[in-house]
Amino acid sequence: MLKIRNYQVLFYLNLLKGVIDLFIDSFLVLYLLTLSDGNILPLGIYKIISMVMLFIPFYLLRNVCKTKKRGMLLKIGICLNLLFFLVIILLREQIVDYIYVIGVLYGIKEGVYYSVINVYESDGVSNAERARFQGNTVALKAILAVSFSMFFGSLIALAGFLESFLVILGIVVVMVVLALLFRDKAVPRTHKVQFGKFSKVVLKNKNIRQIYKISFLLGLTYSGGAITSVTTLYIIKVFSDSFSMGVFNSVFNLLAAGVGVVFAKYLKKKNYAYSIVGSMTLTIVSLVVMILDCNAMTIIIFNFFQTISQQLTNMINTNATLNIANSKAIQAKYKVEYFTLRELMLTMGRVISQGLFIAMAFVDVTNILPFFVGFLALYMLSSARLQWRHRRGHAQLLEAEVVVED
């Protein structure tokens, strides 16, 4: 079998998963809003069901994820993308009536996939390589998104979802082959989770507790939170068809690619906190301006700052999350517990955020949006605090790393 580093396997898996996510996050949202005549309630129901269902596989498969069988789980999670798109094609215009089915399927496929891939990314990429890995992944994923945004937008407009399914089929086949090439050499000796013992580790470790606070706030904002959906709604008000959405997304994906390159090659760890505070402050200010006066210019300005701050802050936090998973306190023994509880915090934030998004269908939007401004501010402060603590020497994110050789 072809010899390939785990680093490379994970890199290409991330790129291909990004292409699939692009389709779901951009065009499925537009499709749902078109079929529901702009009613955001079906979209909110889809989001909240999918976010709850995403956590269920994490919990139910927790013990399997501590055995060699987790490699099969990863392949199943990849293949479930085919079932998800097939159901969309079969339902077509009836998708709004069966939105709960779509939400359940999305949550299951994502939960099965990420219950394994989080551990694999922690094991397969060393802490020293992680910033370069994250930055290059974001950059190339954004470049791929540019071409696929245009491609999917044109394909859906001219041919429909069936031809898009064939593209997804090809991507899934390649991802399964890559998953076969991953060498899992860090299977824990204990094959049952130990939440009781791990809770004592959490209570003694400020870094882990801070990661869980950040994860909760991330769920309120960018990771499955309603900020993305709210932003998409504002964009659709100005760019209302699939092709225009594709062009708009392509421009900002190019910006995201530039941010990824800067993070991988130039941004120093000592400047992480300042990067978070500076970029997110501009994002929050531009969001307030967009809320007060929504037009093409304010939407573009907001998306400019949001693209920079979201990519930078998420890469910095992802690095910290995965680096801490390699620390002496966790190692291979508690990684499943660590990521399962992190997913629980994400889910709690996502449910609250999507609940507020659903409320927007019944009350004045201006009464809800200030909550999201506050969530972003808290996310900024919590993320920066972890980096400031690290700079003062109170958080040794690289301490006692467990290195898993390829």
Side-chain angles (χ1 to χ4, degrees), residues 4-152:
I4 183 172
R5 288 185 64 201
N6 285 344
Y7 179 104
Q8 295 168 303
V9 171
L10 294 167
F11 182 74
Y12 294 123
L13 279 175
N14 268 302
L15 293 184
L16 295 173
K17 184 66 168 61
V19 174
I20 293 176
D21 291 343
L22 169 73
F23 177 86
I24 295 171
D25 293 340
S26 298
F27 298 105
L28 181 58
V29 170
L30 180 59
Y31 189 57
L32 283 173
L33 290 172
T34 301
L35 291 176
S36 59
D37 296 323
N39 184 5
I40 67 172
L41 185 58
L43 176 60
I45 292 173
Y46 159 73
K47 287 284 189 177
I48 202 166
I49 290 176
S50 63
M51 293 303 103
V52 172
M53 290 303 301
L54 196 158
F55 175 71
I56 292 177
F58 264 86
Y59 184 76
L60 294 180
L61 300 172
R62 62 195 186 280
N63 289 326
V64 181
C65 289
K66 302 193 81 167
T67 70
K68 283 188 173 295
K69 295 179 181 178
R70 62 193 185 185
M72 182 57 65
L73 283 181
L74 179 62
K75 300 175 189 69
I76 291 172
I78 293 170
C79 291
L80 284 174
N81 284 290
L82 294 178
L83 176 61
F84 180 75
F85 283 98
L86 183 61
V87 170
I88 291 176
I89 291 170
L90 293 175
L91 289 177
R92 290 184 180 270
E93 287 76 15
Q94 293 181 301
I95 191 172
V96 176
D97 298 326
Y98 294 92
I99 196 62
Y100 56 91
V101 175
I102 300 299
V104 168
L105 287 176
Y106 178 82
I108 291 175
K109 80 178 185 68
E110 293 292 282
V112 174
Y113 180 81
Y114 281 105
S115 66
V116 181
I117 204 67
N118 286 337
V119 176
Y120 275 11
E121 281 200 25
S122 175
D123 292 338
V125 181
S126 69
N127 287 4
E129 293 180 304
R130 201 171 308 282
R132 180 168 61 90
F133 176 86
Q134 289 292 332
N136 290 338
T137 300
V138 167
L140 285 179
K141 191 184 293 186
I143 292 171
L144 280 177
V146 171
S147 55
F148 274 91
S149 288
M150 305 287 284
F151 175 73
F152 275 130

Side-chain angles (χ1 to χ4, degrees), residues 38-41 226-227 229-231 233-234 237 287-288 290-292 294 356-373:
N39 184 5
I40 67 172
L41 185 58
I227 287 288
S229 299
V230 171
T231 303
L233 289 176
Y234 276 98
K237 290 176 68 174
L287 174 59
V288 173
M290 188 183 75
I291 292 171
L292 296 175
C294 179
L356 288 171
F357 182 73
I358 290 175
M360 289 172 59
F362 304 99
V363 301
D364 190 342
V365 175
T366 56
N367 294 329
I368 301 296
L369 288 178
F371 285 101
F372 294 112
V373 175

Side-chain angles (χ1 to χ4, degrees), residues 92-361:
R92 290 184 180 270
E93 287 76 15
Q94 293 181 301
I95 191 172
V96 176
D97 298 326
Y98 294 92
I99 196 62
Y100 56 91
V101 175
I102 300 299
V104 168
L105 287 176
Y106 178 82
I108 291 175
K109 80 178 185 68
E110 293 292 282
V112 174
Y113 180 81
Y114 281 105
S115 66
V116 181
I117 204 67
N118 286 337
V119 176
Y120 275 11
E121 281 200 25
S122 175
D123 292 338
V125 181
S126 69
N127 287 4
E129 293 180 304
R130 201 171 308 282
R132 180 168 61 90
F133 176 86
Q134 289 292 332
N136 290 338
T137 300
V138 167
L140 285 179
K141 191 184 293 186
I143 292 171
L144 280 177
V146 171
S147 55
F148 274 91
S149 288
M150 305 287 284
F151 175 73
F152 275 130
S154 301
L155 190 61
I156 293 171
L158 298 174
F161 281 98
L162 182 59
E163 286 71 14
S164 301
F165 175 80
L166 298 177
V167 176
I168 298 300
L169 175 60
I171 293 174
V172 166
V173 170
V174 175
M175 289 181 72
V176 170
V177 172
L178 287 169
L180 289 169
L181 296 174
F182 187 90
R183 284 167 288 166
D184 190 359
K185 295 187 176 183
V187 179
R189 294 179 181 178
T190 303
H191 293 166
K192 288 188 177 181
V193 295
Q194 303 176 79
F195 286 120
K197 292 182 178 180
F198 179 63
S199 64
K200 296 178 182 178
V201 175
V202 175
L203 291 174
K204 295 178 181 178
N205 195 301
K206 291 182 179 180
N207 301 335
I208 299 175
R209 295 201 303 273
Q210 190 66 21
I211 285 294
Y212 287 157
K213 292 175 185 176
I214 291 170
S215 299
F216 174 72
L217 293 166
L218 180 59
L220 285 171
T221 52
Y222 290 129
S223 180
I227 287 288
T228 303
S229 299
V230 171
T231 303
T232 301
L233 289 176
Y234 276 98
I235 294 171
I236 290 173
K237 290 176 68 174
V238 179
F239 307 96
S240 58
D241 60 87
S242 295
F243 183 77
S244 296
M245 281 281 290
V247 173
F248 185 88
N249 288 331
S250 295
V251 172
F252 286 98
N253 278 318
L254 287 173
L255 177 61
V259 174
V261 171
V262 169
F263 182 79
K265 294 187 175 182
Y266 304 109
L267 189 62
K268 305 297 182 182
K269 290 183 174 63
K270 65 180 182 180
N271 295 322
Y272 280 180
Y274 299 120
S275 300
I276 291 170
V277 173
S279 62
M280 289 208 66
T281 298
L282 291 171
T283 298
I284 293 167
V285 171
S286 60
L287 174 59
V288 173
V289 173
M290 188 183 75
I291 292 171
L292 296 175
D293 184 15
C294 179
N295 56 59
M297 183 57 68
T298 56
I299 289 174
I300 291 171
I301 293 172
F302 167 69
N303 274 275
F304 176 81
F305 290 125
Q306 179 187 238
T307 299
I308 296 173
S309 66
Q310 181 181 1
Q311 296 297 338
L312 274 179
T313 306
N314 286 355
M315 283 188 288
I316 291 169
N317 286 334
T318 298
N319 277 7
T321 299
L322 295 174
N323 286 350
I324 289 173
N326 281 345
S327 67
K328 183 172 60 177
I330 297 175
Q331 301 185 357
K333 184 177 181 180
Y334 292 127
K335 280 191 180 182
V336 172
E337 291 88 337
Y338 172 70
F339 285 115
T340 301
L341 290 182
R342 175 180 179 267
E343 193 62 33
L344 176 61
M345 299 304 295
L346 282 167
T347 301
M348 291 169 60
R350 289 162 176 167
V351 169
I352 294 171
S353 184
Q354 294 298 337
L356 288 171
F357 182 73
I358 290 175
M360 289 172 59

Side-chain angles (χ1 to χ4, degrees), residues 356-399:
L356 288 171
F357 182 73
I358 290 175
M360 289 172 59
F362 304 99
V363 301
D364 190 342
V365 175
T366 56
N367 294 329
I368 301 296
L369 288 178
F371 285 101
F372 294 112
V373 175
F375 295 157
L376 284 174
L378 291 173
Y379 179 53
M380 173 188 69
L381 294 173
S382 187
S383 300
R385 183 182 180 187
L386 181 62
Q387 298 304 320
W388 278 323
R389 184 185 297 154
H390 175 51
R391 286 193 64 192
R392 292 195 302 267
H394 298 311
Q396 299 300 322
L397 300 184
L398 302 179
E399 180 184 3

